[in-house]
Amino acid sequence: MGSHPNSSSEHILITGAGGFIGQELSNTLFLSNPSMHLTLADVFEPPNPNASRATAVKADLTTQSAVDSLLSSQQWSACYLLHGIMSGGAEANLDLGLAVNIDSHRLTLDYLRKHQPGVVVVFPSSLAVYGPPDSPDQQYDEKTIPIPQSSYGAEKLIVETLVNDYSRRGLIDGRVVRLPTVIVRPGAPSAAVSSFASGIVREPLNGLQSTLPVSKDLTMWVCSPKTVVKNLVAIKDVPKEKFANNRGRVINLPGQTVTVRQILEALGEVGGGKALRLVEEKHDPDVEAIVASWPARFNISLAQGLGMAEDISLKEEVQSFAASLKS
């Protein structure tokens, strides 16, 4: 795999590019810079939205040879490490979660620090690194001690620590962004335990039945896909001097605190009673235990200070998703 002919242009790697966020991110990056070239990698060959400006690559990054082959193909302007096993999958299969969510990232980060020192690395982490709040109104920030209650959260925290340390040493220029639960995700349900939060909107608006496995009073920290992608693009260009030495490279991205009941209310406002009747309550204590262990209230002053955008309203997001179904 040779270098792109316009070597002076910005060249960005996205791993996990076949997922929804990866696809939305690639489209938004294209719009941000007409000379940008992307390499899109996943365990399957991901969709390529622009063959003249992107290269799609099938790569299993749990192997050293695949990491070497992919990363040696280009001098990277920035690398987005989006690949991983989702929360439900990582809880169900510990060994697979360790291999994908830790080992493959260690291989990738070690290659970059040795062969492309100083490269910008954006690592999307998760609010799952935290433990449950001491009180319902507790507000979390970047200095709240993480005590993950799932293997997925623990795996994310381990990679966060590596990105922070390699950045402290000047080996890479890392940015760790802890994502809220992203709703509404299109497509098929994912292996995330929070997948229901999108499902109870997505399926009914498509005329399909959906299952609600948690209490309507469960509180969550959520964000629209559009806002998450906008902030993933923006964080790449924040000068490294903006990250204070005593805070590391971790940022909690903006979101909003909602109850499951409020998500359903937004569904009803947009889709009416017909959509609401397609949501079946079927309690799953294991799912609720994991999601309830995630914080739902955040102080986002650090993210705001770095120029991160705040989220649109829940109703606006549901309206936006419904409109996308008609386009």
Side-chain angles (χ1 to χ4, degrees):
M1 201 188 324
S3 296
H4 187 254
N6 185 0
S7 59
S8 63
S9 66
E10 199 173 4
H11 201 132
I12 291 178
L13 170 67
I14 304 175
T15 67
F20 167 61
I21 295 296
Q23 292 178 55
E24 292 296 308
L25 176 61
S26 62
N27 290 331
T28 306
L29 284 169
F30 280 136
L31 294 173
S32 72
N33 181 349
S35 67
M36 183 181 291
H37 190 87
L38 303 181
T39 294
L40 310 173
D42 214 318
V43 288
F44 54 89
E45 185 173 315
N48 188 340
N50 190 328
S52 66
R53 295 178 56 194
T55 304
V57 181
K58 179 181 177 180
D60 178 358
L61 299 180
T62 60
T63 67
Q64 184 74 62
S65 59
V67 170
D68 291 350
S69 175
L70 176 65
L71 297 183
S72 64
S73 67
Q74 190 64 233
Q75 190 69 31
W76 306 106
S77 307
C79 299
Y80 285 91
L81 306 186
L82 270 60
H83 68 281
I85 299 297
M86 301 294 278
S87 49
E91 195 67 20
N93 189 330
L94 177 61
D95 288 328
L96 181 62
L98 292 172
V100 177
N101 293 347
I102 298 177
D103 297 344
S104 71
H105 286 279
R106 169 75 189 277
L107 291 173
T108 301
L109 292 169
D110 282 352
Y111 183 96
L112 292 171
R113 72 177 173 87
K114 292 174 182 176
H115 300 285
Q116 298 195 26
V119 66
V120 170
V121 176
V122 180
F123 175 64
S125 187
S126 167
L127 52 76
V129 301
Y130 290 112
D134 293 328
S135 67
D137 296 326
Q138 182 183 349
Q139 198 172 59
Y140 286 61
D141 65 17
E142 289 77 8
K143 287 198 170 184
T144 304
I145 297 174
I147 309 176
Q149 301 297 299
S150 65
S151 293
Y152 175 75
E155 290 152 9
K156 285 289 190 181
L157 183 59
I158 289 167
V159 179
E160 282 191 13
T161 305
L162 284 176
V163 172
N164 265 320
D165 192 48
Y166 290 2
S167 298
R168 178 188 65 83
R169 288 175 167 270
L171 300 173
I172 62 171
D173 182 1
R175 292 101 197 280
V176 175
V177 285
R178 290 176 179 157
L179 272 56
T181 295
V182 180
I183 64 170
V184 178
R185 290 176 179 263
S190 74
V193 292
S194 58
S195 179
F196 70 86
S198 286
I200 59 175
V201 175
R202 179 184 59 237
E203 269 67 78
L205 289 179
N206 277 295
L208 302 173
Q209 194 84 27
S210 179
T211 300
L212 175 62
V214 301
S215 164
K216 291 180 181 177
D217 295 322
L218 181 71
T219 308
M220 302 179 70
W221 180 247
V222 304
C223 188
S224 69
K226 183 177 180 180
T227 303
V228 165
V229 169
K230 182 177 182 179
N231 286 330
L232 284 172
V233 172
I235 199 67
K236 167 179 70 71
D237 297 320
V238 173
K240 62 182 178 182
E241 294 76 20
K242 293 277 190 179
F243 298 94
N245 290 335
N246 65 333
R247 297 195 77 110
R249 295 301 184 94
V250 174
I251 306 101
N252 292 322
L253 287 189
Q256 57 186 304
T257 302
V258 301
T259 63
V260 172
R261 189 182 308 277
Q262 288 172 318
I263 298 175
L264 292 171
E265 288 170 354
L267 170 65
E269 287 184 53
V270 175
K274 180 181 178 182
L276 283 173
R277 286 190 290 274
L278 289 170
V279 179
E280 177 188 8
E281 294 183 56
K282 189 175 181 181
H283 189 243
D284 185 329
D286 293 333
V287 170
E288 178 142 6
I290 292 177
V291 180
S293 76
W294 300 344
R297 291 173 174 81
F298 284 84
N299 177 343
I300 57 169
S301 57
L302 178 58
Q304 291 170 320
L306 294 174
M308 300 298 102
E310 294 188 41
D311 198 19
I312 60 177
S313 73
L314 190 58
K315 183 179 178 180
E316 284 178 292
E317 170 50 27
V318 176
Q319 287 174 326
S320 174
F321 178 76
S324 73
L325 298 177
K326 299 173 184 177
S327 59

